[in-house]
Every structure is written in C-alpha cells, then in structure tokens.
C-alpha cells in the first residue's frame, strides 16, 4: 500500500511540473530544459508564397476571384513547371494550395517529381469580387469610374475592418485575417519543425503582405511570382516579394533539358492481317514473320534503358511488349487507351470488302492523313475520339517522365497511331506498311514531334 501511495505522489509531482508555467519551474543554468527552449526558439518556417500560373481569365482581364475558377493556359502550365525547376534546390517539407483549381494545379506542376502531396485549404482562396465576379476590368471602369486595379476602392485597406465595398466584395481586412489564419494553421501542423513550405494561392496575397511592406505602394503579384514569408517565434517577416528570378532560372533549366523520347511500336504481322481480315479490336497470333520481327527489335533495343513501358490490352500489343522488353527491365503496364480503334460491324471483315464499299469512311480509314476524320459506320469508334484517347495517354506519359532520364516504350496499333499523328503532328504522314513500325516521338513542353521512324519487315 505504501508503495502505491509513493507512486501516486510521484505521478502527481510529475504532472504538476509538466503543467506548471515555465517561470514556475526552476532550471539550473545550462540545463536540458533551457536547451530545449533555445531549440524551439530557433525553429524557422519559410513560406514560399506563389501566385498561380496564367489562366484564361487573366488574359481576358476578367474579375474572377474566390467565387470562380478558370483553367491554366498552356503558358500557365509551362511557367508553373519551369518555376518548379527554378525552385528545384529549395527543399520543401510540405505543399499547400487554395481549393481553387488554378492554384492546386500550379502547386502540382511545381512539385513534379518530388512525390509530395498537395493539401488544399479553403481559407487560402482568392478574395471574392462579390457582385462583380465574372465581369471585366473595363466594365468596372465604365460603371464606377475606377479601374479594377484600383484595389483600395473595391476592397478597402488591410487594417480597416469596417470598409464596405461598392460591389459587395470581401474587404481586404477580412481577407487578410483569414489568410493569416490559414498560414498559422499550416504552421501549427508543422509545430517543432524548421523548413520550407510551398503555398500556392492568388494575387490577393499581396493585400495580406502589405502590412509587412511599410511605406511601399500596394501592388498585385505577377503570375508564378514568389514571395517568401518567414515565421520565427510567432512573428512573420517578409524576406522576398513578387520575385520572378526563380521563374527565369527555371526557363534556363527547362531549355537545357533534352526532350523525352517515347518509342512507339506497332506490329501488325498477324495471322488475320495476312489473311486480309480487318483487325480493329479483333485479334490474332503472330505469323512467323511477326515473331521474327519481335526478336529483331529485341536485339536492337538490348542496350536501351527504359524507365516506363506500356502496352495495349490486345494480345498482339502486349505480346510484342513481352517479347521485346528486357526481362530485367521495368514492369509492363497494360492500358485499354492504347487499344486499336473499334470498327463496329467492320470488325473481322475482309479488307477488300471494306475498301470496295466506296464510302468516305473507308477512304479515310485507309488513308495516311485522314484517319482522324474516320466516322464509324455504326457503333464503332470515331477517328477523332480514338486520336484524343491516345493523345491524352501519351501526354500523361510525357508529363510524368518529362524531367526524368531515360526512354519510355509504348506498344499500340497502326490505325490509332495514324489518327494521333493526324491530330498532333499533321505535317507528318506515317507511311503505309505491312511490317513492324518503330516511331521515336519526342515530347517537351506539351508538344510532340517525330524524331525518326523505321520499319522491320522480315519474310516468313
């Protein structure tokens, strides 16, 4: 019983010390407690505040704030990716964005290749334009005599809680309060840590940052600009504002990168093809010539290092991939988006019968430059839809591997490949061939071009 009482007294003492104010707990000079306090005080979080990339509403000078969203333009995506390269030497411990798509996409573009999830926070959203959401700058000028860039007329001042906007917009004070709260919420999530945190949001961040820019005129933020806010001992200090140097550095790094190479392989040397039967999603085994072509390609690629490999779900697609790829290479991923065009009631029909129909659909299907215009005779797949399907897939591959070292292998089929080329590289025409075709595509900054092509046509 005495031991239990002693234990209870000890526990109460420990709890009392743990919950006592710091001033009430005496520590000898140089003690572990003071060392821990010094360590906590030295913790610094740096918020890299980035405005999203260019959007379609930006180039149209529309007043779309917290109440709406517009997609990034191609330049917006390119700038965000380039900024990621410019920030590549900054070691981020976390990434956050507002809940609006333009900020979230920008954050993911910046963090490409870092294997870091972007967390969305509602209070990082853009300031609301109220009744003026979805308008244009010149409309405000004509109606109120003040440009939409006259921020204080429409939003007030960051230290004026009583301002009433003429367009019922969110006032600058309320916006600044919620934005500050969002940053402090993020800081709380990383309590006890030091490091850099990416936060992508909107030009209205400048309204909040104005209180750290004493004597400076109020201004907006450029797309993909960087401002750095440092948090130490609960106090924010602005160390950089509206900096475009990271973007310029990223441009230089992006230009120095070689394009990603995608090796696209098509092997039509099958039994049905030899018999003159149409193969869309219909399928058959290889002829001896088809097997020999696979072996020849395997030999020619034995020293090629692939970082990704994808094939259609059709037998002639993934069997080619299995035969060609090194056994100790990357895992093969099968995907239906690489399947051939589905031809409806023309599936497994004699090629001569289809060509003899004299229809525009047949002429387009068997052309080198009009497959994208193919319109299925009944329940088949349109050429433009098939082209979009393959385009989306190859673009996703390009996005995934663009900043990686190595090549990607893709195994697909002739009709859909021609449709894709008609869509994305219309000046290039893939020659008609009965043999295996190997096309080397180059991808960079959302653009494709054909580097070279070759044919492997062994005899039976």
């Amino acid at each position: 019983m005495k031991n239990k009482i002693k234990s209870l007294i000890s526990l109460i003492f420990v709890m009392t010390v743990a919950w006592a104010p710091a001033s009430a707990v005496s520590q000898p000079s140089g003690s572990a407690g003071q060392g821990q306090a010094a360590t906590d005080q030295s913790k610094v979080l740096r918020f890299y505040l980035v405005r999203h990339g260019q959007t379609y509403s930006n180039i149209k000078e529309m007043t779309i704030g917290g109440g709406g969203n517009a997609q990034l333009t191609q330049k917006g995506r390119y700038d965000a990716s380039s900024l990621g390269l410019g920030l590549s030497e900054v070691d981020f411990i976390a990434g956050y964005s507002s809940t609006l798509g333009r900020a979230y996409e920008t954050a993911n573009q910046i963090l490409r290749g870092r294997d870091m999830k972007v967390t969305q926070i509602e209070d990082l959203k853009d300031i609301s334009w109220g009744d003026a959401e979805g308008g244009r700058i010149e409309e405000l000028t004509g109606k109120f005599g003040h440009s939409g860039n006259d921020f204080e007329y429409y939003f007030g001042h960051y230290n004026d809680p009583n301002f009433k906007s003429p367009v019922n917009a969110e006032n600058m004070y309320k916006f600044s309060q919620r934005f500050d709260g969002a940053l402090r919420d993020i800081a709380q999530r990383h309590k006890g840590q030091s490091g850099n945190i990416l936060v992508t949001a909107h030009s209205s961040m400048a309204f909040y940052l104005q209180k750290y820019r004493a004597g400076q005129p109020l201004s907006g933020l450029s797309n993909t600009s960087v401002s750095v806010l440092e948090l130490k001992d609960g106090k924010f200090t602005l160390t950089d504002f509206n900096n475009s140097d990271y973007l310029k550095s990223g441009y230089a790094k992006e230009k120095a990168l070689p394009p990603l190479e995608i090796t696209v392989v098509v092997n039509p040397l099958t039994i049905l093809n030899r018999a003159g039967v149409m193969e869309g999603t219909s399928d058959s085994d290889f002829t001896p010539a088809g097997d020999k072509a696979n072996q020849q390609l395997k030999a020619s690629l034995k020293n090629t290092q692939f970082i990704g490999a994808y094939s259609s779900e059709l037998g002639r697609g993934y069997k080619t991939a299995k035969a060609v790829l090194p056994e100790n290479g990357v895992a093969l991923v099968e995907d239906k988006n690489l399947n051939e065009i589905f031809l409806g009631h023309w599936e497994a029909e004699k090629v001569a019968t289809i060509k003899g129909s004299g229809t525009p659909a047949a002429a387009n299907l068997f052309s080198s430059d009009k497959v994208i215009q193919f319109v299925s005779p009944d329940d088949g797949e349109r050429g433009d839809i098939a082209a979009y399907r393959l385009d989306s897939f190859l673009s996703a591959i390009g996005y995934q591997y663009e900043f990686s070292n190595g090549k990607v292998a893709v195994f697909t089929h002739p009709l859909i490949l021609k449709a894709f080329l008609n869509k994305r590289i219309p000046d290039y025409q893939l020659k008609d061939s009965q043999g295996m075709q190997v096309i080397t595509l180059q991808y960079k900054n959302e653009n494709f071009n054909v580097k070279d092509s070759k044919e492997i046509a062994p005899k039976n």
Side-chain angles (χ1 to χ4, degrees), residues 41-49 179-180 183-184 187 193-197 199 208-209 211-212 226-241 246:
Q41 289 175 359
S42 67
K43 298 296 183 184
V44 177
L45 290 175
R46 294 179 185 84
F47 292 86
Y48 280 71
L49 306 177
F179 196 89
D180 184 84
L183 293 184
R184 293 188 182 277
Q193 294 181 266
S194 285
N196 306 306
I197 297 174
V199 175
Y208 165 70
L209 295 177
K211 63 181 177 179
Y212 306 111
V226 178
S227 301
V228 180
L229 200 59
E230 188 175 281
L231 178 63
K232 184 176 181 180
D233 299 333
K235 181 181 178 181
F236 281 117
T237 303
L238 185 64
T239 62
D240 204 355
F241 181 75
Y246 290 104

Side-chain angles (χ1 to χ4, degrees), residues 51-62 64 70 72 102 223:
R51 185 189 176 191
H52 60 78
Q54 183 194 73
T55 67
Y56 287 98
S57 62
N58 290 154
I59 60 179
K60 296 173 183 176
E61 295 189 331
M62 296 182 69
I64 294 181
L72 298 184
R102 56 190 185 270
N223 290 117

Side-chain angles (χ1 to χ4, degrees), residues 40-288:
D40 289 343
Q41 289 175 359
S42 67
K43 298 296 183 184
V44 177
L45 290 175
R46 294 179 185 84
F47 292 86
Y48 280 71
L49 306 177
V50 177
R51 185 189 176 191
H52 60 78
Q54 183 194 73
T55 67
Y56 287 98
S57 62
N58 290 154
I59 60 179
K60 296 173 183 176
E61 295 189 331
M62 296 182 69
T63 53
I64 294 181
N69 189 52
Q71 298 297 313
L72 298 184
T73 63
Q74 183 175 2
K75 173 178 169 54
R77 293 189 297 272
Y78 171 70
D79 286 354
S81 291
S82 296
L83 179 59
L85 292 174
L87 290 169
S88 59
E89 295 179 6
V90 178
D91 185 20
F92 290 114
I93 61 173
Y96 294 86
S97 83
S98 89
T99 51
L100 295 174
R102 56 190 185 270
Y104 181 66
E105 184 178 0
T106 297
N108 280 287
Q109 292 275 4
I110 291 171
L111 295 175
R112 285 171 69 179
R114 296 193 190 226
D115 192 26
M116 182 177 292
K117 180 182 177 182
V118 177
T119 301
Q120 295 175 283
I121 295 181
E122 181 74 12
D123 280 344
L124 293 174
K125 279 177 63 173
D126 204 355
I127 198 167
S128 171
W129 273 94
D131 297 338
E133 284 280 357
R136 291 180 180 270
I137 297 297
E138 66 267 20
E139 292 174 353
L140 292 178
T141 303
K143 187 173 182 178
F144 296 97
H146 290 262
S147 165
N149 294 318
D150 187 351
F151 302 128
E152 292 191 2
Y153 177 81
Y154 292 100
F155 301 110
H157 197 267
Y158 70 86
N159 60 5
D160 180 5
N162 299 315
F163 176 78
K164 177 64 176 176
S165 168
V167 293
N168 295 313
E170 180 180 16
N171 73 35
M172 203 179 291
Y173 175 84
K174 291 181 179 178
F175 167 80
S176 297
Q177 291 295 106
R178 70 168 167 88
F179 196 89
D180 184 84
L183 293 184
R184 293 188 182 277
D185 172 55
I186 293 171
Q188 186 64 29
R189 301 183 192 200
H190 299 277
K191 186 177 181 180
Q193 294 181 266
S194 285
N196 306 306
I197 297 174
L198 175 70
V199 175
T200 59
H202 309 271
S203 180
S204 50
M205 287 189 293
F207 302 160
Y208 165 70
L209 295 177
Q210 188 63 19
K211 63 181 177 179
Y212 306 111
R213 303 179 66 239
Q216 298 295 317
L218 178 63
S219 69
L221 296 172
S222 302
N223 290 117
T224 51
S225 64
V226 178
S227 301
V228 180
L229 200 59
E230 188 175 281
L231 178 63
K232 184 176 181 180
D233 299 333
K235 181 181 178 181
F236 281 117
T237 303
L238 185 64
T239 62
D240 204 355
F241 181 75
N242 202 25
N243 188 341
S244 61
D245 288 343
Y246 290 104
L247 180 59
K248 293 175 183 176
S249 172
Y251 284 157
K253 290 180 179 180
E254 193 278 335
K255 285 182 173 61
L257 285 174
L260 172 71
E261 290 194 0
I262 304 175
T263 301
V264 182
V265 179
V266 167
N267 188 352
L269 297 169
T270 64
I271 293 173
L272 286 182
N273 187 43
R274 183 178 60 183
V277 174
M278 196 73 209
E279 282 185 306
T281 55
S282 303
D283 208 9
S284 63
D285 289 335
F286 292 115
T287 62

Side-chain angles (χ1 to χ4, degrees), residues 378-409:
D378 57 359
D379 57 346
E381 184 179 18
R382 295 169 55 100
D384 56 346
I385 300 300
Y388 178 80
R389 169 163 59 89
L390 183 55
D391 189 352
S392 298
F393 187 86
L394 292 177
S395 294
I397 288 175
Y399 175 84
Q400 179 179 351
Y401 295 104
E402 184 174 10
F403 299 156
S404 306
N405 294 319
K407 298 182 178 181
V408 178

